Amino acid sequence: MTTSRAQRPQADGTRAATVARREQENTQLRHAVDSHATIDHAIGVLIATRRLPPASGFDVLREISQRTNTKLRTVAEALIAWALGRPLAEPVGQEPNPAVQRRKPHTEAMDRPK
């Protein structure tokens, strides 16, 4: 399985072509796993700092990504760097605050005693 839309090289039946194709797939899969881990860490930052549930954390990342026309992984990396004490990098800038606030009513209901 490949993660890109580029067509696979045509198999010419040689061992070298098969090995090259497998190496390309492995590289793409490693990149996908790394991206998912980075995004999960950023969701953890939002859960810890903004008390958002995991699904809302992902929604915040996705919204920032779409509003700033920035890759989701880049947004995640910026939030992780912010959690480690660095300034929140542009173009992410102040985007997390409005995105989090739009999801606060969901979390406030969870915070109320039953």
Side-chain angles (χ1 to χ4, degrees):
M1 178 173 120
T2 60
T3 57
S4 71
R5 294 179 189 217
Q7 297 227 348
R8 291 184 183 183
Q10 292 296 320
D12 60 6
T14 66
R15 181 172 168 78
T18 301
V19 169
R21 199 170 50 253
R22 298 280 189 251
E23 287 175 353
Q24 180 184 21
E25 289 174 358
N26 285 339
T27 299
Q28 291 171 342
L29 289 171
R30 271 190 235 106
H31 180 71
V33 168
D34 289 345
S35 291
H36 284 275
T38 301
I39 291 165
D40 286 344
H41 290 146
I43 290 170
V45 167
L46 291 170
I47 291 168
T49 62
R50 303 302 177 96
R51 299 184 63 197
L52 290 174
S56 292
F58 182 78
D59 290 342
V60 167
L61 291 178
R62 184 181 60 212
E63 181 180 332
I64 295 167
S65 173
Q66 290 172 347
R67 286 181 174 270
T68 62
N69 195 28
T70 305
K71 288 187 177 191
L72 190 63
R73 180 182 174 138
T74 303
V75 171
E77 289 169 343
L79 283 173
I80 292 167
W82 170 78
L84 294 172
R86 296 185 202 121
L88 196 53
E90 294 297 331
V92 176
Q94 297 300 313
E95 283 296 320
N97 292 330
V100 167
Q101 290 304 317
R102 281 189 276 282
R103 280 148 187 92
K104 275 294 185 185
H106 296 92
T107 59
E108 288 171 0
M110 290 174 27
D111 289 342
R112 286 189 210 129
K114 293 182 180 179

